[in-house]
Amino acid sequence: MLNMPLMALLWCCLSLSWASAARAESLRIATEGAYPPFNYIDAQGNLVGFDVDIGKALCNSMKVHCDFVAVEWGKLLDGLEAGFYDVVVASMADTPERRHQALFSDAYYRSHSSFVGDPSRFADLSPVSLSKMRLAAESSTIQAAYLHSEYPDSVVITPPTQPEVFTALARGEADLVLADSISILMFLKSPEGQQFDFINYPLDTSKLNSTAHIAVGKQHPELVQRINQAINNIRLNGDYDRINRKYFPFSVF
């Protein structure tokens, strides 16, 4: 029979072991860091934005420690597939092509794609009317794929980041930009965006998926279900609405 001091010591060791095991579970989360207001680097060099705050809320709901890393958009899925990180929270659409490299959660926000440019120059957005025009979208996005597919006679420009896409428009290096409507709204509020506006209504097509999903490494199928439950949890406990209000004057869910 163990004496009391020895039993106390054993209990203490077991408690420390359990606590250590609880702390040991962690996730490495990647985002782009160049897609404001969803993910970007602030003036202090911190990775911030709607996606980052949602990621933190999900980690808190799942009771896991999370580290965040900024990765170039075009390399996000390759790094996920290679196991450099476990999850991508970067406003990513779930497409058949991307499913070859990742699993996807339920949607965590909704948006639409629109053209933005000088409204005095453009009204008709048909491929014939935009023939030879310079159309821009961020590289490796569903918007870029749409432009290549639907506007074969236009000049398609694909800068590597969304800020560079809007810079091309502001400098006159692109005639129109196709992007997420929320991202466009942020651009229109900036000094560089004052002379531009949405061109017509958001595009209504299945080729421009209007929902954003969290990508998970294919080696972690169980994590998808945990993230889906966490999305539901933060919707119910008010965390999602709090984050939404921080960035947008309307609901994005």
Side-chain angles (χ1 to χ4, degrees), residues 116 121 134-138 157-177 187 192 195-196:
V116 60
R121 294 181 57 201
R134 298 164 300 171
L135 311 182
E138 183 178 358
I157 303 167
T158 55
T161 69
Q162 193 62 57
E164 289 175 276
V165 173
F166 289 133
T167 296
L169 179 64
R171 290 179 176 174
E173 297 165 0
D175 298 300
L176 288 170
V177 160
F187 167 67
E192 296 79 9
Q195 70 186 84
F196 303 104

Side-chain angles (χ1 to χ4, degrees), residues 106-235:
D106 293 340
Y108 70 99
Y109 81 80
R110 290 166 171 78
S111 186
H112 300 279
S113 294
S114 301
F115 277 104
V116 60
D118 183 346
S120 68
R121 294 181 57 201
F122 299 99
D124 185 354
L125 297 176
S126 68
V128 173
S129 295
L130 298 185
S131 175
K132 310 305 179 185
M133 292 294 174
R134 298 164 300 171
L135 311 182
E138 183 178 358
S139 175
S140 301
T141 61
I142 58 173
Q143 289 85 4
Y146 182 81
L147 291 180
H148 282 297
S149 170
E150 303 301 313
Y151 293 87
D153 296 324
S154 299
V155 178
V156 178
I157 303 167
T158 55
T161 69
Q162 193 62 57
E164 289 175 276
V165 173
F166 289 133
T167 296
L169 179 64
R171 290 179 176 174
E173 297 165 0
D175 298 300
L176 288 170
V177 160
L178 181 62
D180 178 276
S181 297
I182 299 174
S183 180
I184 291 173
L185 183 61
M186 300 301 111
F187 167 67
L188 295 179
K189 291 181 177 180
S190 70
E192 296 79 9
Q194 295 301 302
Q195 70 186 84
F196 303 104
D197 204 347
F198 289 101
I199 308 297
N200 289 347
Y201 297 103
L203 298 181
D204 183 14
T205 169
S206 61
K207 292 184 178 181
L208 292 171
N209 193 317
S210 62
T211 56
H213 302 257
I214 294 167
V216 177
K218 297 186 80 170
Q219 66 271 36
H220 299 301
E222 76 291 343
L223 185 54
V224 177
Q225 297 305 315
R226 293 179 64 192
I227 289 174
N228 287 341
Q229 184 59 57
I231 292 172
N232 288 332
N233 290 344
I234 67 173
R235 288 275 296 152

Side-chain angles (χ1 to χ4, degrees), residues 2 18 20 26 39-40 46 62 72 77 84 95 98 118 132 137 146 156 161 170 182 193 204 217 231 235-236 239 252:
L2 295 174
W18 291 333
S20 176
S26 64
N39 54 77
Y40 59 101
N46 300 311
M62 293 187 290
E72 182 181 328
L77 287 182
F84 295 153
T95 68
R98 289 170 181 165
D118 183 346
K132 310 305 179 185
Y146 182 81
V156 178
T161 69
I182 299 174
D204 183 14
I231 292 172
R235 288 275 296 152
L236 292 172
D239 284 348
V252 297

Side-chain angles (χ1 to χ4, degrees), residues 69-122:
V69 59
V71 177
E72 182 181 328
W73 172 260
K75 298 179 180 178
L76 279 168
L77 287 182
D78 289 340
L80 182 68
E81 190 174 34
F84 295 153
Y85 29 84
D86 308 294
V87 175
V88 172
V89 186
S91 298
M92 187 172 286
D94 174 3
T95 68
E97 295 77 18
R98 289 170 181 165
R99 287 179 203 157
H100 292 300
Q101 292 183 278
L103 303 172
F104 287 91
S105 74
D106 293 340
Y108 70 99
Y109 81 80
R110 290 166 171 78
S111 186
H112 300 279
S113 294
S114 301
F115 277 104
V116 60
D118 183 346
S120 68
R121 294 181 57 201
F122 299 99

